[in-house]
């Protein structure tokens, strides 16, 4: 069962083999991100940075979506079969929920019932296929309402975070990567990673040579999630873009990407600025000095062009130590692909 985080120390023990096999997720985990978003939706103590998104999402939330809320509490445990840390399209993962074996449902809910109250209707999940289908439908509506409209922003934010983490790996290896994950709640004390857990859970996880999958999450802003039983390796979520130059939720609005791109075209008519966007797309995660070197221009000029592109929503800039690190957004990539 996935665990959301906070105050009590949970320890993950690494061997040399574990360090060698630890990696950063290559893309978002849709159902895990949805579970995190649903927690934030229900927990008003979360950061005010989510307030506009929360208000709009709650206003659009249809009654059908509320069924799943009973199994995704703002704090506590979420059933594995609803929040698997797998890659794939939302449609594929929703189909996996619909086909969850009854025995898995019984075992998972029995474990959950020992830790927290469950809605009365959940007792029918393993025995009545119609209830499972209703739950999957509720998850589908939740995704379409809460996460789907913002998915390009989620993927852009996570790609930017991955670029920074890869630079950490290149500069200082896995230990530097683990040290910089999320200092307020995650601490590396070789050979152990300590996570502060608010859920009251403490314990020890020995990776046994499997390594750890690190999963950035846009909505996991305050609470790391651990799944020690995930296959092929356990995973840990952490807040994406911690210490970012710009707030990751800034693009969360009703303004369409195409409208933003059209406004940005005025600024992109110049040859040099178009070359800057092409260079960032070709070298995601480059810093300003590297960008200037690729283009053969001065660092101040590269910085100015990057600022315009960032303000137009075509790139994302994060702070990595003393460098500004640039990655393209989905709008910037679409602009390059379609030329409009």
């Amino acid at each position: 069962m996935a665990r959301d985080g906070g105050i009590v120390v949970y320890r993950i023990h690494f061997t040399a083999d574990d360090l060698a096999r630890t990696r950063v997720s290559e893309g978002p985990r849709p159902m895990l991100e949805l579970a995190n978003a649903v927690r934030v939706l229900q927990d008003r103590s979360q950061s005010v940075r989510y307030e506009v998104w929360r208000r709009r999402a709650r206003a659009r939330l249809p009654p059908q979506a509320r069924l799943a809320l009973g199994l995704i509490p703002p704090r506590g445990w979420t059933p594995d079969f609803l929040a698997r840390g797998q890659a794939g399209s939302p449609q594929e993962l929703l189909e996996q929920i619909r086909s969850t074996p009854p025995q898995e449902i019984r075992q998972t809910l029995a474990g959950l019932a020992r830790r927290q109250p469950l809605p009365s209707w959940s007792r029918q999940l393993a025995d009545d296929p119609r209830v499972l289908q209703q739950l999957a439908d509720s998850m589908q509506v939740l995704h379409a309402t809460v996460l789907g409209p913002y998915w390009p922003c989620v993927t852009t934010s996570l790609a930017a975070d991955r670029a920074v983490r890869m630079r950490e790996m290149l500069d200082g290896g896995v230990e530097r990567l683990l040290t910089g994950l999320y200092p307020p709640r995650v601490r590396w004390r070789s050979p152990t990673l300590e996570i502060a857990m608010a859920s009251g859970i403490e314990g020890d996880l020995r990776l046994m040579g499997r390594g750890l999958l690190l999963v950035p999450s846009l909505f996991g802003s305050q609470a790391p999630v651990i799944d020690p039983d995930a296959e092929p390796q356990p995973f840990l979520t952490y807040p994406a873009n911690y210490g970012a130059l710009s707030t990751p939720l800034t693009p969360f609005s009703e303004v369409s990407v195409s409208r933003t791109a059209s406004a940005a075209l005025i600024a992109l008519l110049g040859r040099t600025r178009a070359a800057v966007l092409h260079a960032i797309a070709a070298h995601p995660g480059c810093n300003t000095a590297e960008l200037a070197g690729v283009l053969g221009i001065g660092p101040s000029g590269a910085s100015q062009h990057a600022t315009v592109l960032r303000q137009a929503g075509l790139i994302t800039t994060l702070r990595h130590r003393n460098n500004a690190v640039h990655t393209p957004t989905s709008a910037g990539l679409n602009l390059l692909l379609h030329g409009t």
Side-chain angles (χ1 to χ4, degrees):
M1 299 171 192
R3 304 168 181 174
D4 74 311
I7 295 172
V8 176
V9 172
Y10 189 95
R11 294 168 294 274
I12 303 178
H13 300 270
F14 288 75
T15 65
D17 287 342
D18 294 317
L19 289 172
R21 294 187 175 100
T22 291
R23 60 195 179 96
V24 179
S25 172
E26 70 280 4
R29 296 327 203 222
M31 292 299 103
L32 194 58
E33 193 67 35
L34 177 60
N36 285 339
V38 170
R39 290 191 188 101
V40 175
L41 184 70
Q42 300 178 85
D43 185 1
R44 294 186 179 276
S45 68
Q46 290 275 3
S47 170
V48 294
R49 71 193 299 192
Y50 298 105
E51 192 53 43
V52 173
W53 165 82
R54 184 188 291 112
R55 186 168 60 250
R56 291 174 176 170
R58 292 179 72 90
R60 291 195 298 254
L61 203 64
Q64 185 183 14
R66 300 183 183 277
L67 183 68
L69 299 184
L71 287 179
I72 309 178
R75 294 191 177 275
W77 300 60
T78 298
D80 281 349
F81 59 84
L82 291 186
R84 299 186 192 276
Q86 295 176 336
S89 71
Q91 292 73 26
E92 293 169 340
L93 299 176
L94 285 165
E95 285 306 311
Q96 289 184 20
I97 294 176
R98 297 182 195 280
S99 59
T100 306
Q103 185 60 25
E104 180 182 348
I105 295 175
R106 289 191 190 95
Q107 291 177 349
T108 300
L109 294 184
L112 272 177
R114 292 192 290 269
R115 295 177 172 87
Q116 64 194 40
L118 298 176
S120 58
W121 57 263
S122 66
R123 292 192 292 268
Q124 307 172 52
L125 265 175
D127 301 317
D128 190 340
R130 293 173 299 178
V131 178
L132 179 59
Q133 295 307 310
Q134 290 171 1
L135 176 60
D137 290 343
S138 180
M139 290 290 289
Q140 185 170 356
V141 173
L142 262 179
H143 184 276
T145 305
V146 170
L147 204 55
Y150 311 111
W151 196 244
C153 303
V154 173
T155 56
T156 294
S157 179
L158 300 191
D161 181 87
R162 178 178 168 83
V164 170
R165 304 304 167 182
M166 293 303 95
R167 184 171 289 275
E168 291 276 13
M169 287 272 286
L170 290 172
D171 290 348
V174 179
E175 290 196 327
R176 181 176 292 184
L177 169 67
L178 296 174
T179 299
L181 276 182
Y182 185 41
R185 293 194 179 275
V186 180
R187 176 179 297 179
W188 172 248
R189 289 184 174 178
S190 181
T192 303
L193 192 67
E194 297 180 347
I195 300 97
M197 305 288 287
S199 55
I201 298 168
E202 60 180 324
D204 295 88
L205 170 61
R206 300 188 184 278
L207 297 173
M208 307 297 290
R210 294 172 296 171
L212 184 67
L213 177 64
L214 302 170
V215 182
S217 172
L218 185 59
F219 285 92
S221 64
Q222 297 179 1
V225 173
I226 302 169
D227 189 343
D229 302 315
E231 294 293 344
Q233 61 188 156
F235 70 74
L236 167 70
T237 71
Y238 64 90
N241 302 329
Y242 173 70
L245 286 177
S246 58
T247 303
L249 293 189
T250 300
F252 278 50
S253 68
E254 301 302 320
V255 179
S256 69
V257 169
S258 62
R259 192 184 309 169
T260 302
S262 297
L265 281 178
I266 298 173
L268 292 175
L269 290 177
R271 183 182 302 272
T272 302
R273 192 162 296 149
V276 171
L277 181 57
H278 275 281
I280 292 172
H283 306 277
C286 62
N287 62 36
T288 303
E290 292 166 341
L291 181 61
V294 168
L295 296 169
I297 62 178
S300 62
S303 177
Q304 290 172 5
H305 288 301
T307 297
V308 174
L309 294 174
R310 183 173 64 254
Q311 291 172 344
L314 301 178
I315 68 168
T316 296
T317 300
L318 303 179
R319 175 63 62 180
H320 172 69
R321 302 187 183 277
N322 295 322
N323 293 311
V325 178
H326 312 290
T327 54
T329 65
S330 56
L333 292 175
N334 285 334
L335 192 65
L336 289 173
L337 286 172
H338 303 296
T340 58

